[in-house]
Amino acid sequence: MHGADTDGRVVAAACTIAIDDLPDGLIVTDRFGCVVAVNRAASRLTGVPMERAVGRQMNDVFPFRDHDGREWWKALDPEGGLRTRSRVPERPLHLPGGQELYVAARLVREPERGGEVERVAITLRDGGARARLERSRADLVSTVAHELRSPLTSVKGFTATMLAKWTRFTDEQKRVMLETVNNDADRVTRLITELLDVSRIESGRLEVRRQVVDISARTRRLIAGRVAAGEAEERFKLIAGDDLPEMWLDQDKIDQILGNLVENALRHGRGTVTIEIESVGWGVAVSVRDEGEGIEPELAPRVFRQFWRGGNSRRRGGTGLGLFIVKGLVEAHGGTIIVQRAPEGGAEFRFTVPTGTPDFAAV
């Protein structure tokens, strides 16, 4: 419930939340550094249980150090410094065991402006998770630079050559060079599209625009396109049930899911690529399987991570983003996807999407 006071400000009713409900670690001390509260997340991150910490001095229980070995609590000095100081910026610190955490603090004063420090609220975040995120971003930059360098070098080389020596080339030579430039431009466009998809998935801004979609028809269209592009027709096998329910899905994203999975099977598998579509209790399940080497069970959890490339995939091209995008698109529909060993011994990717309606919200 909310009310408004005489000058129009919104006043919220008192609300109590347990500190164990907070997703980040929280340690609270008094002005002298005596620990008065520790939540469950802080105990998990530091390995120090609440009962061992409460009532003891902060620096004895949580001896945080910076990368130069300086004691963070002594440098914090809650009772010293300017009376206007209230926030301590987040910074990486570590415990004696070497575990890195990102630590920030707020000095709670009474009165709030210029008063004495009454208590210190310290928040903790997992440094390992932050480091993984930073490594992922570094990998992204490295991958983008690598993937862009080759096609752009080709485009620049061919266009510069044609401009300088246009009259020396035959029409056939010009056509071959222009086709190469066109293909490399398509490659750059695909990479940019993948990066935009990754950004939307990670930020939660992926939109699903639903309409009636015939998954069987979309699959037949995909296969026809691959055959027209030069793949042998006998390379594909479609098994579709007759009792499929009406599905409200994002047609473009379903095409992208199917296209990425079929491309993955063609690139990394062997033999026939089988696409099976069947009705399940709450929707439709689609399996894409090949007859290649398959994926070892211990590697299955890594398959949908960014930049995952198994086996000889580095020699076979690809950015390592396709399956990550597939998982994000499936989950945006409220579905799930798994990878397992196919009956023929290859890899089987199976995704399931629920029966929805035009106003079904799964974003």
Side-chain angles (χ1 to χ4, degrees), residues 68-154:
D68 294 322
R70 292 186 291 264
E71 297 181 3
W72 176 77
W73 181 257
K74 287 185 178 180
L76 181 66
D77 188 17
E79 295 187 279
L82 298 174
R83 285 180 175 265
T84 56
R85 184 173 62 130
S86 62
R87 297 185 182 276
V88 180
E90 186 178 66
R91 60 183 302 186
L93 302 173
H94 60 82
L95 292 168
Q99 181 184 7
E100 185 178 66
L101 298 170
Y102 281 80
V103 182
R106 181 173 183 270
L107 308 180
V108 182
R109 297 179 179 272
E110 294 291 342
E112 184 176 352
R113 295 182 179 275
E116 295 285 345
V117 173
E118 291 294 319
R119 59 190 179 276
V120 181
I122 303 161
T123 59
L124 313 177
R125 298 176 187 267
D126 183 7
R130 181 75 63 87
R132 288 191 295 273
L133 177 60
E134 291 175 352
R135 284 196 300 271
S136 176
R137 288 174 176 169
D139 287 343
L140 179 61
V141 172
S142 175
T143 299
V144 170
H146 174 76
E147 294 294 331
L148 287 177
R149 183 183 296 113
S150 177
L152 290 179
T153 299
S154 172

Coordinates of all heavy atoms in Angstrom, one line a residue, residues 68-154:
D68 N 47.8 -5.7 -3.1 CA 49.2 -5.3 -2.6 C 49.3 -5.8 -1.1 O 50.4 -5.5 -0.5 CB 49.4 -3.8 -2.6 CG 49.4 -3.3 -4.1 OD1 50.0 -4.0 -4.9 OD2 48.9 -2.2 -4.3
G69 N 48.4 -6.5 -0.6 CA 48.5 -7.1 0.7 C 48.0 -6.2 1.8 O 48.1 -6.5 3.0
R70 N 47.5 -5.0 1.5 CA 47.0 -4.1 2.6 C 45.7 -4.5 3.2 O 44.8 -5.0 2.4 CB 46.9 -2.6 2.0 CG 48.2 -2.0 1.6 CD 48.0 -0.6 1.2 NE 47.3 -0.5 -0.1 CZ 47.9 -0.4 -1.3 NH1 49.2 -0.3 -1.4 NH2 47.1 -0.3 -2.4
E71 N 45.5 -4.3 4.5 CA 44.3 -4.7 5.2 C 43.2 -3.7 4.8 O 43.3 -2.5 5.1 CB 44.5 -4.7 6.7 CG 45.6 -5.7 7.1 CD 45.8 -5.8 8.6 OE1 45.1 -5.0 9.3 OE2 46.6 -6.5 9.1
W72 N 42.1 -4.2 4.2 CA 41.0 -3.4 3.8 C 40.3 -2.7 4.9 O 40.0 -1.5 4.8 CB 40.0 -4.2 2.9 CG 38.8 -3.5 2.5 CD1 38.8 -2.6 1.4 CD2 37.5 -3.5 3.0 NE1 37.5 -2.1 1.3 CE2 36.7 -2.6 2.2 CE3 36.9 -4.2 4.1 CZ2 35.4 -2.5 2.5 CZ3 35.6 -4.0 4.3 CH2 34.8 -3.2 3.6
W73 N 40.0 -3.4 6.0 CA 39.3 -2.8 7.1 C 40.0 -1.6 7.8 O 39.4 -0.6 8.1 CB 38.9 -3.8 8.1 CG 38.1 -3.3 9.3 CD1 38.5 -2.9 10.5 CD2 36.7 -2.9 9.2 NE1 37.5 -2.4 11.2 CE2 36.4 -2.4 10.5 CE3 35.7 -3.0 8.2 CZ2 35.1 -1.9 10.8 CZ3 34.4 -2.5 8.5 CH2 34.1 -2.0 9.8
K74 N 41.3 -1.8 7.9 CA 42.1 -0.7 8.5 C 42.1 0.5 7.6 O 42.0 1.7 8.1 CB 43.5 -1.2 8.8 CG 43.6 -2.1 10.0 CD 45.1 -2.4 10.3 CE 45.2 -3.3 11.5 NZ 46.6 -3.7 11.8
A75 N 42.2 0.3 6.3 CA 42.1 1.4 5.4 C 40.8 2.0 5.3 O 40.6 3.2 5.1 CB 42.5 0.9 4.0
L76 N 39.7 1.3 5.6 CA 38.4 1.8 5.6 C 38.2 2.8 6.7 O 37.6 3.9 6.5 CB 37.4 0.7 5.7 CG 35.9 1.0 5.7 CD1 35.5 1.6 4.4 CD2 35.0 -0.2 6.1
D77 N 38.7 2.5 7.9 CA 38.7 3.4 9.1 C 37.3 4.1 9.2 O 37.2 5.3 9.0 CB 39.8 4.4 8.9 CG 40.0 5.3 10.2 OD1 39.5 4.9 11.2 OD2 40.6 6.4 10.0
P78 N 36.3 3.4 9.6 CA 34.9 4.0 9.7 C 34.8 5.2 10.6 O 34.0 6.1 10.3 CB 34.1 2.9 10.3 CG 34.8 1.6 9.9 CD 36.3 2.0 10.0
E79 N 35.6 5.3 11.6 CA 35.5 6.4 12.6 C 36.3 7.6 12.1 O 36.2 8.7 12.6 CB 36.0 6.0 13.9 CG 35.1 5.0 14.6 CD 35.4 4.7 16.0 OE1 36.4 3.9 16.2 OE2 34.8 5.3 16.9
G80 N 37.2 7.4 11.1 CA 38.0 8.5 10.6 C 37.5 9.1 9.3 O 36.4 8.8 8.9
G81 N 38.2 10.0 8.8 CA 37.9 10.7 7.5 C 36.8 11.7 7.7 O 36.3 12.0 8.8
L82 N 36.3 12.2 6.5 CA 35.3 13.3 6.5 C 34.0 12.7 7.0 O 33.6 11.6 6.7 CB 35.2 13.8 5.1 CG 36.5 14.5 4.5 CD1 36.2 14.9 3.1 CD2 36.8 15.7 5.4
R83 N 33.2 13.6 7.6 CA 31.9 13.2 8.1 C 30.9 13.1 6.9 O 29.8 12.6 7.1 CB 31.3 14.2 9.1 CG 32.0 14.0 10.5 CD 31.4 15.0 11.5 NE 32.0 14.7 12.8 CZ 31.4 14.0 13.8 NH1 30.2 13.4 13.5 NH2 31.9 13.8 15.0
T84 N 31.3 13.6 5.8 CA 30.4 13.4 4.6 C 30.6 12.1 3.9 O 29.8 11.8 3.0 CB 30.7 14.6 3.6 OG1 32.1 14.6 3.3 CG2 30.3 15.9 4.2
R85 N 31.6 11.4 4.3 CA 31.8 10.1 3.6 C 30.8 9.1 4.0 O 30.5 8.8 5.2 CB 33.2 9.6 4.0 CG 33.7 8.3 3.3 CD 35.1 8.0 3.6 NE 35.3 7.7 5.0 CZ 35.9 6.6 5.5 NH1 36.4 5.7 4.7 NH2 36.0 6.5 6.8
S86 N 30.2 8.4 3.0 CA 29.1 7.4 3.3 C 29.3 6.2 2.4 O 28.8 5.1 2.8 CB 27.7 8.0 3.0 OG 27.6 8.4 1.7
R87 N 29.9 6.2 1.3 CA 30.0 5.1 0.4 C 31.5 4.8 0.1 O 32.3 5.7 -0.1 CB 29.3 5.3 -0.9 CG 27.8 5.5 -0.7 CD 27.1 5.6 -2.0 NE 25.6 5.8 -1.8 CZ 24.7 4.8 -1.6 NH1 25.2 3.6 -1.6 NH2 23.5 5.1 -1.4
V88 N 31.8 3.5 0.1 CA 33.1 3.0 -0.3 C 33.0 2.2 -1.6 O 32.3 1.2 -1.6 CB 33.7 2.1 0.8 CG1 35.1 1.6 0.4 CG2 33.8 2.9 2.1
P89 N 33.6 2.6 -2.7 CA 33.4 2.0 -4.0 C 33.8 0.5 -3.9 O 34.7 0.1 -3.2 CB 34.3 2.8 -4.9 CG 34.6 4.1 -4.2 CD 34.5 3.8 -2.8
E90 N 33.1 -0.3 -4.8 CA 33.5 -1.7 -4.9 C 34.9 -1.9 -5.5 O 35.3 -1.2 -6.4 CB 32.4 -2.4 -5.9 CG 32.6 -3.9 -5.9 CD 31.5 -4.5 -6.8 OE1 31.5 -4.3 -8.1 OE2 30.7 -5.2 -6.3
R91 N 35.6 -2.9 -4.9 CA 36.9 -3.2 -5.4 C 37.2 -4.6 -5.2 O 36.6 -5.3 -4.3 CB 38.0 -2.3 -4.7 CG 38.0 -2.5 -3.2 CD 39.0 -1.5 -2.6 NE 40.3 -1.7 -3.1 CZ 41.4 -1.1 -2.6 NH1 41.3 -0.3 -1.6 NH2 42.6 -1.4 -3.2
P92 N 38.1 -5.2 -5.9 CA 38.5 -6.6 -5.7 C 39.4 -6.8 -4.5 O 40.4 -6.1 -4.4 CB 39.2 -7.0 -7.1 CG 39.7 -5.7 -7.6 CD 38.8 -4.6 -7.1
L93 N 39.0 -7.7 -3.7 CA 39.8 -8.1 -2.5 C 39.9 -9.6 -2.4 O 39.1 -10.3 -3.1 CB 39.1 -7.5 -1.2 CG 38.9 -6.0 -1.1 CD1 38.1 -5.7 0.1 CD2 40.2 -5.3 -1.1
H94 N 40.8 -10.1 -1.6 CA 40.8 -11.5 -1.4 C 41.1 -11.9 0.1 O 41.6 -11.1 0.9 CB 42.0 -12.1 -2.3 CG 43.3 -11.6 -2.0 ND1 44.1 -12.1 -0.9 CD2 44.1 -10.6 -2.5 CE1 45.2 -11.5 -0.9 NE2 45.3 -10.5 -1.8
L95 N 40.6 -13.1 0.4 CA 40.8 -13.7 1.7 C 42.2 -14.4 1.7 O 42.8 -14.7 0.7 CB 39.7 -14.6 2.0 CG 38.3 -13.9 2.2 CD1 37.2 -15.0 2.2 CD2 38.3 -13.1 3.5
P96 N 42.7 -14.8 2.9 CA 44.0 -15.5 3.0 C 44.1 -16.7 2.1 O 45.1 -17.0 1.6 CB 44.1 -15.8 4.5 CG 43.3 -14.8 5.2 CD 42.1 -14.5 4.3
G97 N 42.9 -17.4 1.9 CA 43.0 -18.6 1.0 C 43.1 -18.3 -0.4 O 43.3 -19.2 -1.3
G98 N 43.1 -17.0 -0.8 CA 43.2 -16.6 -2.2 C 42.0 -16.3 -2.9 O 42.0 -15.9 -4.1
Q99 N 40.8 -16.6 -2.3 CA 39.5 -16.4 -3.0 C 39.3 -14.9 -3.2 O 39.5 -14.1 -2.3 CB 38.4 -17.0 -2.2 CG 37.0 -16.8 -2.9 CD 35.9 -17.3 -2.0 OE1 36.1 -17.7 -0.9 NE2 34.7 -17.3 -2.6
E100 N 38.9 -14.5 -4.4 CA 38.7 -13.1 -4.7 C 37.2 -12.8 -4.7 O 36.4 -13.5 -5.2 CB 39.2 -12.8 -6.1 CG 39.1 -11.3 -6.5 CD 39.7 -10.9 -7.8 OE1 39.1 -11.4 -8.8 OE2 40.7 -10.2 -7.9
L101 N 36.9 -11.7 -4.0 CA 35.6 -11.2 -3.9 C 35.6 -9.7 -4.2 O 36.6 -9.0 -4.0 CB 35.0 -11.4 -2.5 CG 34.9 -12.8 -2.0 CD1 34.5 -12.8 -0.5 CD2 33.8 -13.5 -2.7
Y102 N 34.4 -9.2 -4.7 CA 34.2 -7.8 -5.0 C 33.5 -7.2 -3.8 O 32.3 -7.7 -3.5 CB 33.5 -7.5 -6.3 CG 34.4 -7.7 -7.5 CD1 34.8 -8.9 -8.0 CD2 35.0 -6.6 -8.1 CE1 35.7 -9.1 -9.1 CE2 35.9 -6.7 -9.1 CZ 36.2 -7.9 -9.6 OH 37.1 -8.1 -10.7
V103 N 34.1 -6.3 -3.1 CA 33.6 -5.8 -1.8 C 33.3 -4.3 -1.9 O 34.1 -3.5 -2.4 CB 34.6 -6.0 -0.7 CG1 34.0 -5.6 0.7 CG2 35.0 -7.5 -0.6
A104 N 32.1 -3.9 -1.4 CA 31.8 -2.5 -1.3 C 31.2 -2.3 0.1 O 30.8 -3.2 0.8 CB 30.8 -2.1 -2.4
A105 N 31.1 -1.0 0.5 CA 30.6 -0.7 1.9 C 29.8 0.6 1.9 O 30.1 1.5 1.0 CB 31.8 -0.7 2.9
R106 N 28.9 0.7 2.8 CA 28.2 1.9 3.1 C 28.3 2.2 4.6 O 28.0 1.4 5.4 CB 26.7 1.8 2.7 CG 25.9 3.1 2.9 CD 24.5 2.9 2.3 NE 23.8 4.2 2.4 CZ 23.0 4.5 3.5 NH1 22.9 3.7 4.5 NH2 22.4 5.7 3.5
L107 N 28.7 3.5 4.9 CA 28.7 3.9 6.2 C 27.4 4.6 6.6 O 27.0 5.6 6.1 CB 29.9 4.9 6.4 CG 31.3 4.5 5.9 CD1 32.3 5.6 6.1 CD2 31.7 3.2 6.5
V108 N 26.7 3.9 7.5 CA 25.4 4.4 7.9 C 25.6 5.4 9.1 O 26.0 5.0 10.2 CB 24.4 3.3 8.3 CG1 23.1 3.8 8.7 CG2 24.3 2.3 7.2
R109 N 25.2 6.6 8.9 CA 25.4 7.7 9.9 C 24.1 8.1 10.5 O 23.0 8.1 9.9 CB 26.1 8.9 9.3 CG 27.5 8.6 8.7 CD 28.1 9.8 8.1 NE 29.5 9.5 7.6 CZ 30.6 9.6 8.3 NH1 30.5 9.9 9.6 NH2 31.8 9.3 7.8
E110 N 24.1 8.6 11.8 CA 23.0 9.1 12.5 C 23.4 10.5 13.1 O 24.3 10.5 14.0 CB 22.5 8.2 13.6 CG 21.9 6.9 13.1 CD 20.6 7.1 12.3 OE1 20.0 8.2 12.5 OE2 20.2 6.2 11.6
P111 N 22.9 11.6 12.6 CA 22.0 11.7 11.5 C 22.7 11.4 10.2 O 23.9 11.3 10.1 CB 21.5 13.2 11.6 CG 22.7 13.9 12.3 CD 23.2 12.9 13.2
E112 N 21.9 11.3 9.1 CA 22.4 10.8 7.9 C 23.5 11.7 7.3 O 24.5 11.2 6.8 CB 21.3 10.6 6.8 CG 21.7 10.1 5.5 CD 20.6 9.9 4.6 OE1 19.4 10.0 5.0 OE2 20.8 9.5 3.4
R113 N 23.3 13.0 7.5 CA 24.3 14.0 7.0 C 25.2 14.5 8.1 O 24.7 15.2 9.0 CB 23.6 15.1 6.3 CG 22.8 14.7 5.0 CD 22.2 16.0 4.3 NE 21.5 15.6 3.1 CZ 22.1 15.5 1.9 NH1 23.4 15.7 1.8 NH2 21.4 15.1 0.9
G114 N 26.4 14.0 8.0 CA 27.4 14.6 9.0 C 27.4 13.9 10.4 O 28.1 14.4 11.3
G115 N 26.6 12.9 10.6 CA 26.5 12.3 11.9 C 27.6 11.3 12.1 O 28.5 11.0 11.2
E116 N 27.6 10.7 13.3 CA 28.6 9.6 13.6 C 28.2 8.3 12.9 O 27.0 8.1 12.7 CB 28.6 9.4 15.1 CG 29.1 10.5 16.0 CD 30.6 10.7 15.9 OE1 31.3 9.7 15.4 OE2 31.1 11.8 16.3
V117 N 29.2 7.5 12.6 CA 28.9 6.2 12.0 C 28.3 5.3 13.0 O 28.8 5.1 14.1 CB 30.2 5.6 11.4 CG1 29.9 4.2 10.9 CG2 30.8 6.4 10.3
E118 N 27.1 4.8 12.7 CA 26.4 3.9 13.6 C 26.7 2.4 13.3 O 26.9 1.6 14.1 CB 24.9 4.1 13.6 CG 24.5 5.4 14.2 CD 24.7 5.5 15.7 OE1 24.5 4.4 16.4 OE2 25.2 6.5 16.2
R119 N 26.8 2.1 12.0 CA 27.1 0.8 11.5 C 27.6 0.8 10.1 O 27.5 1.9 9.4 CB 25.8 -0.1 11.6 CG 24.7 0.4 10.8 CD 23.4 -0.4 11.1 NE 22.2 0.1 10.3 CZ 21.5 1.1 10.7 NH1 21.8 1.8 11.8 NH2 20.5 1.5 9.9
V120 N 28.2 -0.3 9.7 CA 28.8 -0.4 8.3 C 28.1 -1.6 7.7 O 28.1 -2.7 8.2 CB 30.3 -0.6 8.4 CG1 30.9 -0.7 7.0 CG2 31.0 0.5 9.2
A121 N 27.6 -1.4 6.5 CA 27.0 -2.4 5.7 C 27.9 -2.8 4.5 O 28.3 -1.9 3.7 CB 25.6 -2.0 5.1
I122 N 28.4 -4.0 4.5 CA 29.4 -4.5 3.5 C 28.7 -5.5 2.6 O 28.2 -6.5 3.1 CB 30.6 -5.1 4.3 CG1 31.2 -4.1 5.2 CG2 31.6 -5.6 3.3 CD1 32.0 -4.7 6.3
T123 N 28.8 -5.3 1.3 CA 28.3 -6.2 0.3 C 29.4 -7.0 -0.4 O 30.5 -6.4 -0.6 CB 27.4 -5.5 -0.7 OG1 28.2 -4.5 -1.4 CG2 26.2 -4.8 -0.1
L124 N 29.2 -8.3 -0.7 CA 30.1 -9.1 -1.3 C 29.6 -9.7 -2.6 O 28.4 -10.2 -2.6 CB 30.5 -10.3 -0.3 CG 30.9 -9.9 1.1 CD1 31.1 -11.2 1.9 CD2 32.1 -9.0 1.2
R125 N 30.4 -9.8 -3.6 CA 30.0 -10.4 -4.8 C 31.1 -11.4 -5.2 O 32.3 -11.1 -4.9 CB 29.8 -9.4 -6.0 CG 28.7 -8.5 -5.8 CD 28.6 -7.5 -6.9 NE 27.6 -6.4 -6.7 CZ 26.4 -6.4 -7.0 NH1 25.9 -7.5 -7.7 NH2 25.6 -5.4 -6.8
D126 N 30.7 -12.5 -5.9 CA 31.7 -13.5 -6.3 C 32.7 -13.0 -7.3 O 32.3 -12.6 -8.4 CB 31.0 -14.7 -6.8 CG 31.9 -15.9 -7.2 OD1 33.1 -15.8 -6.9 OD2 31.4 -16.9 -7.7
G127 N 34.0 -12.9 -7.0 CA 35.0 -12.5 -7.9 C 35.2 -13.4 -9.1 O 35.5 -13.0 -10.2
G128 N 34.9 -14.7 -8.8 CA 35.1 -15.7 -9.9 C 34.1 -15.5 -11.0 O 34.4 -15.6 -12.2
A129 N 32.8 -15.2 -10.6 CA 31.8 -14.9 -11.6 C 32.1 -13.7 -12.4 O 32.0 -13.6 -13.7 CB 30.4 -14.7 -11.0
R130 N 32.7 -12.6 -11.8 CA 33.1 -11.4 -12.5 C 34.2 -11.7 -13.4 O 34.3 -11.2 -14.6 CB 33.5 -10.4 -11.5 CG 33.9 -9.0 -12.1 CD 32.7 -8.3 -12.6 NE 31.8 -7.9 -11.5 CZ 31.9 -6.8 -10.7 NH1 32.9 -5.9 -11.0 NH2 31.1 -6.6 -9.8
A131 N 35.2 -12.5 -13.0 CA 36.3 -12.9 -13.8 C 35.9 -13.7 -15.0 O 36.4 -13.4 -16.1 CB 37.4 -13.7 -13.0
R132 N 34.9 -14.6 -14.8 CA 34.4 -15.4 -16.0 C 33.7 -14.4 -17.0 O 33.8 -14.6 -18.2 CB 33.4 -16.4 -15.5 CG 34.1 -17.6 -14.8 CD 33.2 -18.8 -14.6 NE 32.1 -18.4 -13.7 CZ 32.2 -18.5 -12.4 NH1 33.3 -19.0 -11.8 NH2 31.1 -18.2 -11.6
L133 N 33.0 -13.4 -16.5 CA 32.3 -12.5 -17.4 C 33.3 -11.7 -18.2 O 33.2 -11.5 -19.4 CB 31.4 -11.6 -16.6 CG 30.7 -10.5 -17.4 CD1 29.8 -11.1 -18.4 CD2 29.9 -9.6 -16.4
E134 N 34.4 -11.2 -17.5 CA 35.4 -10.5 -18.2 C 36.1 -11.3 -19.2 O 36.5 -10.8 -20.3 CB 36.4 -9.9 -17.1 CG 35.7 -8.8 -16.3 CD 36.7 -8.3 -15.2 OE1 37.8 -8.9 -15.0 OE2 36.3 -7.3 -14.5
R135 N 36.4 -12.6 -18.9 CA 37.0 -13.5 -19.8 C 36.1 -13.7 -21.0 O 36.6 -13.8 -22.2 CB 37.4 -14.8 -19.2 CG 38.6 -14.8 -18.3 CD 39.1 -16.2 -18.0 NE 38.1 -17.0 -17.4 CZ 37.9 -17.1 -16.0 NH1 38.7 -16.4 -15.2 NH2 37.0 -17.9 -15.5
S136 N 34.8 -13.8 -20.8 CA 33.9 -14.0 -21.8 C 33.9 -12.8 -22.8 O 33.8 -12.9 -24.0 CB 32.4 -14.2 -21.3 OG 31.5 -14.3 -22.3
R137 N 33.9 -11.6 -22.2 CA 34.0 -10.4 -23.0 C 35.3 -10.3 -23.8 O 35.3 -9.9 -25.0 CB 33.8 -9.2 -22.1 CG 32.4 -9.0 -21.6 CD 32.3 -7.9 -20.6 NE 30.9 -7.7 -20.1 CZ 30.5 -6.9 -19.1 NH1 31.5 -6.3 -18.4 NH2 29.3 -6.8 -18.8
A138 N 36.4 -10.7 -23.2 CA 37.6 -10.7 -23.9 C 37.6 -11.7 -25.0 O 38.1 -11.4 -26.1 CB 38.8 -11.0 -22.9
D139 N 37.0 -12.9 -24.8 CA 36.9 -13.9 -25.8 C 36.0 -13.4 -27.0 O 36.3 -13.6 -28.1 CB 36.2 -15.2 -25.3 CG 37.2 -16.0 -24.4 OD1 38.4 -15.7 -24.5 OD2 36.7 -16.8 -23.6
L140 N 35.0 -12.6 -26.6 CA 34.1 -12.1 -27.6 C 34.9 -11.1 -28.5 O 34.8 -11.2 -29.8 CB 32.9 -11.3 -27.0 CG 31.9 -10.7 -27.9 CD1 31.3 -11.7 -28.8 CD2 30.8 -9.9 -27.1
V141 N 35.6 -10.2 -27.9 CA 36.4 -9.2 -28.7 C 37.4 -10.0 -29.6 O 37.6 -9.7 -30.8 CB 37.2 -8.3 -27.8 CG1 38.1 -7.4 -28.6 CG2 36.2 -7.4 -27.0
S142 N 38.1 -11.0 -29.0 CA 39.1 -11.7 -29.8 C 38.4 -12.5 -30.9 O 39.0 -12.5 -32.1 CB 39.8 -12.7 -28.8 OG 40.7 -13.6 -29.6
T143 N 37.3 -13.1 -30.7 CA 36.6 -13.8 -31.7 C 36.1 -12.9 -32.8 O 36.3 -13.2 -34.0 CB 35.4 -14.6 -31.1 OG1 35.8 -15.5 -30.2 CG2 34.6 -15.3 -32.2
V144 N 35.5 -11.8 -32.5 CA 35.1 -10.8 -33.5 C 36.2 -10.3 -34.3 O 36.1 -10.3 -35.5 CB 34.3 -9.6 -32.8 CG1 34.0 -8.5 -33.8 CG2 33.0 -10.1 -32.1
A145 N 37.3 -10.0 -33.7 CA 38.5 -9.5 -34.4 C 39.0 -10.5 -35.4 O 39.3 -10.3 -36.5 CB 39.6 -9.1 -33.4
H146 N 39.0 -11.8 -34.9 CA 39.5 -12.9 -35.8 C 38.6 -13.1 -36.9 O 39.0 -13.3 -38.1 CB 39.7 -14.2 -34.9 CG 40.1 -15.4 -35.8 ND1 41.3 -15.6 -36.3 CD2 39.3 -16.4 -36.2 CE1 41.3 -16.7 -37.0 NE2 40.1 -17.2 -36.9
E147 N 37.3 -13.2 -36.6 CA 36.3 -13.5 -37.7 C 36.1 -12.4 -38.7 O 35.8 -12.7 -39.8 CB 34.9 -13.8 -37.0 CG 34.9 -15.1 -36.2 CD 35.2 -16.4 -37.0 OE1 34.8 -16.4 -38.1 OE2 35.7 -17.3 -36.4
L148 N 36.3 -11.2 -38.3 CA 36.2 -10.0 -39.2 C 37.4 -9.9 -40.1 O 37.3 -9.4 -41.2 CB 35.9 -8.8 -38.4 CG 34.5 -8.6 -37.8 CD1 34.4 -7.3 -37.1 CD2 33.5 -8.6 -38.9
R149 N 38.6 -10.2 -39.5 CA 39.8 -9.9 -40.2 C 39.9 -10.6 -41.6 O 40.2 -10.0 -42.6 CB 41.0 -10.3 -39.4 CG 42.4 -10.0 -40.0 CD 43.6 -10.5 -39.2 NE 43.6 -9.8 -37.9 CZ 43.4 -10.4 -36.8 NH1 43.2 -11.7 -36.7 NH2 43.5 -9.7 -35.6
S150 N 39.6 -11.9 -41.6 CA 39.7 -12.6 -42.8 C 38.8 -12.2 -44.0 O 39.3 -11.8 -45.1 CB 39.5 -14.1 -42.6 OG 39.5 -14.9 -43.8
P151 N 37.5 -12.0 -43.7 CA 36.6 -11.5 -44.9 C 36.9 -10.1 -45.3 O 36.9 -9.8 -46.4 CB 35.2 -11.7 -44.3 CG 35.4 -11.7 -42.8 CD 36.7 -12.4 -42.6
L152 N 37.2 -9.2 -44.3 CA 37.5 -7.9 -44.6 C 38.8 -7.7 -45.4 O 38.9 -6.9 -46.3 CB 37.5 -7.0 -43.4 CG 36.2 -6.8 -42.7 CD1 36.4 -5.9 -41.4 CD2 35.2 -6.1 -43.6
T153 N 39.8 -8.5 -45.0 CA 41.0 -8.6 -45.8 C 40.8 -9.0 -47.2 O 41.3 -8.4 -48.2 CB 42.1 -9.5 -45.1 OG1 42.4 -9.0 -43.8 CG2 43.4 -9.5 -45.9
S154 N 39.9 -10.0 -47.4 CA 39.6 -10.5 -48.7 C 38.9 -9.4 -49.5 O 39.2 -9.2 -50.7 CB 38.7 -11.8 -48.6 OG 38.3 -12.1 -49.9

